[in-house]
Amino acid sequence: MFEYVSKSEYQPFKLEVDKILKSIQRALKENDILTFQFNLIGSAKRKLITRIKNGNKGFDLDYNIDIQRILNDKYENPKLLKQTFIKLFDDYFDDSYEYAEDSTSVITIKKLNKARNKILFSVDFAIVNYYEDEEGNERQQYIHLDKASNTYSWALRKVATNHRYVEDLIKENSMWEDVKILYLENKNKEPHKKSRIVYYQTIDTIFKRYFQQKASLLR
């Protein structure tokens, strides 16, 4: 069963990660390599962080590493760019963390307890770049690893914007607690479904239950 992780528990770990990322920011800029911004995304941004109750895998934090300016042309190469961050993570995160793992769309690090037999939390970092297409729509690219061919490339990811209106409507009507209750219920009903999908389904249900139904009654 999933349970929520309180802010008092996850906040110190978030601050620890933020501090390290700021150090990496400075190092990359001072060495004329690149500049970047970082931001928390997903469940952590929405304060919907969950974990398996009495489990040993902890909770997850997700960050976007948003590349701002490449100061050295050779780092235009997505493989070099991603592997540079992997090396920096291994250098800057102390030995309470496992070595960084390179996966299809993110870099993952895991913080262990002192006995090193339990994961306290994991962090996924996606290296991204935002731009506007010819029609003025926001687009996001991320570094994608094709493991079969061991090749890296910038891949297009659609930026979901249609949920923002629903989010704002729910918050304006002080119904975020309804989201929290239903989100946890849905996580426990379908524990293997991606949290992002569970979230979109949850706010869609809240919208239909309280707003679409109300609108149809007023017709």
Side-chain angles (χ1 to χ4, degrees), residues 65-68 127-131 139-143 154:
I65 303 291
D66 182 7
I67 305 301
Q68 303 291 298
I127 301 175
V128 305
N129 175 50
Y130 289 92
Y131 69 96
R139 292 288 183 261
Q140 183 200 92
Q141 293 177 312
Y142 69 97
I143 295 181
W154 285 102

Side-chain angles (χ1 to χ4, degrees), residues 1-3 51-58 118:
M1 294 289 288
F2 283 96
E3 64 178 0
R51 66 179 166 210
I52 297 291
K53 191 174 183 178
N54 298 320
N56 64 355
K57 292 187 177 180
K118 180 179 180 180

